[in-house]
Amino acid sequence: MAASPEPKALDYDAIIVGAGISGLYQLYRLRELGMRVRVLEAGTGVGGTWYWNRYPGARFDSESYSYGYSFSPELLEEWNWAEHFAPQPETLRYLNFVADKFDLRRDIQFKSRVAAAHYREETRSWDVTLEDGSRFSTRFLITAIGPLSAPTMPRIPGVESFKGQSCHTARWPHEPVSFEGKRVAVIGTGATGVQTIQEVAKTAGHLTVFQRTPNWCAPLHNGKIGEEEMREIRAGYPEMFKRCQETFACFLHTPDPRGTFEVTPEEREAFWEKLYGEKGFGIWQGNFRDILIDRKANALISDFVARKIRQRVKDQAVADKLIPKNHGFGTRRVPLETKYYEVYNQPNVTLVDINETPIERITPTGIKTGGIKTSGAEYEFDIIIYATGFDAITGSFDRIDIRGAGGLKLKDKWQGGPKTYLGVQVEGFPNMMMLMGPHTALGNIPRSIEYNVEWVTGLIRHMREHGLTCVEARPEGVKSWTDHVKALGVGLLSNEVDSWMTGINRNVDGKQVRTVARYSGSAPAYRERCDAVTASGYQELRLA
Ligand code: NAP
């Protein structure tokens, strides 16, 4: 019998899909292990979210210094943040600085959108195919594709027919877009829409906002960081990062241990006034411990924010439209804003509530609304901006033809909601690791990313040290983690509300039913669970 041919060497030890915050850091760590790594990135540059989301007004909602990487003292020493909540260009500069500093670019292949990834059982490897047909083989497939990176356009007839300029916020052009004197429409009022609206309103000839569901927004209170302040921030880095490790969602803010009804009405009001006047997510993440689980507590804080909206918007009929009626404060992601509500006091801004006058179609010249109560209207625009969000968490996976052992499609495996082991692995998909996949702690994302990357790196290091070539989640591990994630969501008011966090996207088939794709426990608890797996020598995983 003829000897079987030598197996062909794999092209890479690891392929990382995506050169955003997680992909860059994973590359850095795997290189330290001496691995041959390739990052495949669809864009023409690094940055992921901050590469794609160039829309006007895009900026952090987490404090810049709490968002940057913490792993390199040198990097912390060298980089100065200019604003408490950095605008997108500053963040993109930062991520380019990181890529240059650690010489990451030489292992990143740009303009390379991954179309398919198929597992090969014979070689315990993955075949990765790009949209242009080129193919690579790799031992490990690491997805760094982000929870909010598959943009969705609204399903409105006529979108293609518009003759003016139109764009989804996550596909914003690299060239500057001027709104000076233009008639502009924005559809969508999530965190992205709010940032876009407040920026476009500064210069647009006329801005018309099409709102389906108002959100509870709170002031960002951004400001510049002077040299002296940056020195103080730098001196406080060790303490600040330690704090981020201890808080519930890795933000600087963490719930107040008191319950809403454990204080007097006067103390409550004073506390909320203080939070409303402070920077960042404090009013959402640093509020009384029960506002997101106790209906009565939630109704009170919602009433507080509603009063603020009424105070800030002059026309009370408009204010009323801007106050959410179908969900309480904080049960969806709270958009942070800078004079957002005041925008509606400007003569060049109109709010259209599309529940009263639904959008019937996009026309070659603008938007046509109809209505049961009113006759609707025909609006003419030069520019239409779609701030209509993402097919969140699982959407970026669904857009790649990922097939595990036996040709099983990930999309089929996840029918009815994702099933994962620690949010990192999927049974039947050996050697595939997910960074910021479903069921991982998100929160202040880079903090979670650093942990996620380090955990995956530790697992791969362990495999290499023990001559192991295959790692796979066990069914019982997946069941137990998925059940745990589901149980954590019980009782949370946010799980009773439609949003990307509960897997709803009315613009995507099959995403009309709520699923549990998000881990809603604390980041410290998540890390504790993962650390225990490491300490046990990864016994919960099937290693071969
Ligand atoms: P989003 O929160 O899902 O908001 C999408 C908006 O588009 C909603 O107002 C939605 O209305 C509306 N919409 C969708 N389809 C529509 C249609 N057919 N007709 C009319 N309106 C439609 O998406 P996003 O604003 O892009 O934000 C997603 C997440 O990204 C945020 O929650 C946040 O986590 C992240 N983000 C972060 C930052 C930051 O850190 N600075 C900035 C922006 C975004 P409904 O609510 O009725 O569905």
Side-chain angles (χ1 to χ4, degrees):
M1 213 169 75
S4 54
E6 270 295 300
K8 186 179 154 286
L10 299 172
D11 296 325
Y12 297 104
D13 297 321
I15 281 183
I16 299 166
V17 188
I21 296 176
S22 49
L24 292 178
Y25 186 42
Q26 186 67 79
L27 168 60
Y28 174 86
R29 283 293 175 208
L30 293 187
R31 257 199 208 159
E32 284 185 331
L33 300 185
M35 291 170 66
R36 290 168 305 139
V37 188
R38 193 81 171 153
V39 178
L40 301 174
E41 164 58 51
T44 57
V46 301
T49 286
W50 302 102
Y51 168 89
W52 294 104
N53 288 271
R54 296 162 186 263
Y55 61 85
R59 69 171 63 247
F60 285 157
D61 278 346
S62 313
E63 290 75 2
S64 312
Y65 25 91
S66 79
Y67 192 98
Y69 290 112
S70 72
F71 70 89
S72 161
E74 240 183 66
L75 176 62
L76 291 170
E77 195 54 47
E78 288 169 16
W79 182 262
N80 293 322
W81 291 103
E83 294 187 44
H84 284 275
F85 301 89
Q88 175 272 339
E90 185 179 353
T91 308
L92 191 59
R93 266 199 311 280
Y94 169 72
L95 293 170
N96 275 285
F97 179 80
V98 171
D100 290 336
K101 176 170 175 59
F102 299 108
D103 188 21
L104 299 177
R105 261 176 247 277
R106 67 183 150 91
D107 290 322
I108 306 175
Q109 188 172 317
F110 295 106
K111 294 195 233 167
S112 300
R113 187 175 285 283
V114 172
H118 295 174
Y119 184 66
R120 283 166 65 104
E121 284 164 83
E122 322 83 82
T123 45
R124 294 172 166 178
S125 65
W126 285 85
D127 285 342
V128 176
T129 311
L130 300 184
E131 257 177 8
D132 69 6
S134 34
R135 295 176 64 162
F136 310 95
S137 59
T138 175
R139 173 74 65 218
F140 296 105
L141 173 71
I142 301 179
T143 62
I145 51 185
L148 292 157
S149 52
T152 45
M153 288 290 283
R155 294 207 269 207
I156 303 172
V159 165
E160 300 304 325
S161 72
F162 183 62
K163 295 271 190 287
Q165 199 176 355
S166 66
C167 193
H168 190 285
T169 44
R171 290 291 176 270
W172 200 260
H174 290 213
E175 307 74 44
V177 177
S178 165
F179 303 104
E180 205 74 47
K182 300 264 173 65
R183 298 162 302 174
V184 185
V186 174
I187 301 178
T189 49
T192 302
V194 165
Q195 290 185 335
T196 307
I197 290 161
Q198 65 198 18
E199 187 62 27
V200 173
K202 289 178 185 165
T203 54
H206 198 92
L207 168 64
T208 309
V209 176
F210 292 86
Q211 172 189 270
R212 186 163 69 186
T213 311
N215 283 298
W216 296 100
C217 311
L220 176 70
H221 296 299
N222 187 27
K224 299 260 187 249
I225 301 176
E227 268 180 44
E228 182 50 34
E229 195 173 8
M230 189 61 227
R231 261 195 295 279
E232 282 165 22
I233 290 169
R234 185 169 283 120
Y237 270 144
E239 203 183 312
M240 188 208 68
F241 286 122
K242 183 169 172 287
R243 178 169 170 76
C244 290
Q245 292 302 300
E246 289 163 0
T247 60
F248 190 88
C250 306
F251 291 108
L252 290 174
H253 318 275
T254 204
D256 190 285
R258 296 171 299 170
T260 303
F261 299 101
E262 290 166 13
V263 299
T264 65
E266 293 73 27
E267 282 170 323
R268 198 156 54 219
E269 193 74 7
F271 180 52
W272 285 341
E273 278 294 345
K274 176 178 158 298
L275 291 178
Y276 201 77
E278 285 176 354
K279 287 187 177 57
F281 278 136
I283 194 154
W284 185 32
Q285 296 289 321
N287 213 312
F288 293 120
R289 63 173 154 76
D290 52 1
I291 63 150
L292 302 178
I293 46 173
D294 179 321
R295 264 171 240 287
K296 287 190 182 142
N298 188 264
L300 273 191
I301 178 67
S302 301
D303 179 60
F304 173 86
V305 182
R307 276 186 276 135
K308 290 288 179 197
I309 299 172
R310 288 203 186 91
Q311 282 162 15
R312 292 174 57 185
V313 179
K314 285 186 190 144
D315 181 336
Q316 290 304 296
V318 175
D320 198 53
K321 285 182 183 157
L322 290 165
I323 296 171
K325 308 290 185 302
N326 66 356
H327 67 283
F329 176 80
T331 60
R332 289 171 135 206
R333 156 67 147 79
V334 174
L336 294 184
E337 45 85 23
T338 305
K339 299 201 167 36
Y340 173 65
Y341 289 111
E342 286 73 13
V343 154
Y344 295 97
N345 298 334
Q346 292 180 206
N348 69 332
V349 179
T350 308
L351 177 67
V352 176
D353 178 348
I354 64 169
N355 297 300
E356 287 173 4
T357 53
I359 297 177
E360 268 180 7
R361 60 180 305 109
I362 309 290
T363 67
T365 53
I367 295 178
K368 182 171 180 342
T369 61
I372 306 157
K373 289 191 209 152
T374 60
S375 55
E378 199 147 357
Y379 300 84
E380 295 204 340
F381 295 113
D382 303 303
I383 303 175
I384 299 178
I385 301 175
Y386 296 101
T388 44
F390 302 89
D391 183 358
I393 304 185
T394 51
S396 46
F397 290 89
D398 289 350
R399 291 182 184 192
I400 302 174
D401 174 18
I402 301 176
R403 297 186 200 190
L408 179 63
K409 287 189 179 174
L410 184 62
K411 201 170 174 175
D412 292 341
K413 178 93 182 169
W414 281 355
Q415 279 293 328
K419 297 164 202 75
T420 78
Y421 174 70
L422 304 178
V424 176
Q425 278 223 293
V426 184
E427 184 214 348
F429 294 74
N431 292 353
M432 180 178 95
M433 278 83 151
M434 303 178 289
L435 302 174
M436 293 296 95
H439 298 171
T440 26
L442 297 175
N444 188 9
I445 283 208
R447 301 282 64 76
S448 306
I449 285 174
E450 284 189 336
Y451 181 80
N452 219 197
V453 164
E454 282 155 20
W455 194 85
V456 166
T457 309
L459 171 59
I460 293 177
R461 185 191 301 114
H462 173 88
M463 291 177 69
R464 287 167 69 83
E465 284 170 0
H466 293 83
L468 303 164
T469 52
C470 187
V471 58
E472 186 185 355
R474 294 178 196 269
E476 58 274 23
V478 171
K479 180 165 185 332
S480 127
W481 182 250
T482 304
D483 287 350
H484 174 62
V485 171
K486 285 185 183 165
L488 285 170
V490 175
L492 291 181
L493 298 177
S494 57
N495 275 3
E496 300 170 7
V497 172
D498 286 352
S499 75
W500 68 260
M501 293 187 179
T502 49
I504 298 292
N505 186 322
R506 288 196 250 167
N507 301 313
V508 181
D509 287 332
K511 297 272 168 101
Q512 328 295 323
V513 178
R514 287 184 204 146
T515 51
V516 180
R518 196 174 60 104
Y519 168 85
S520 46
S522 80
Y526 177 77
R527 288 193 297 266
E528 198 178 313
R529 176 76 178 81
C530 294
D531 286 347
V533 175
T534 310
S536 74
Y538 306 99
Q539 279 179 21
E540 289 181 23
L541 287 159
R542 197 180 277 144
L543 287 155

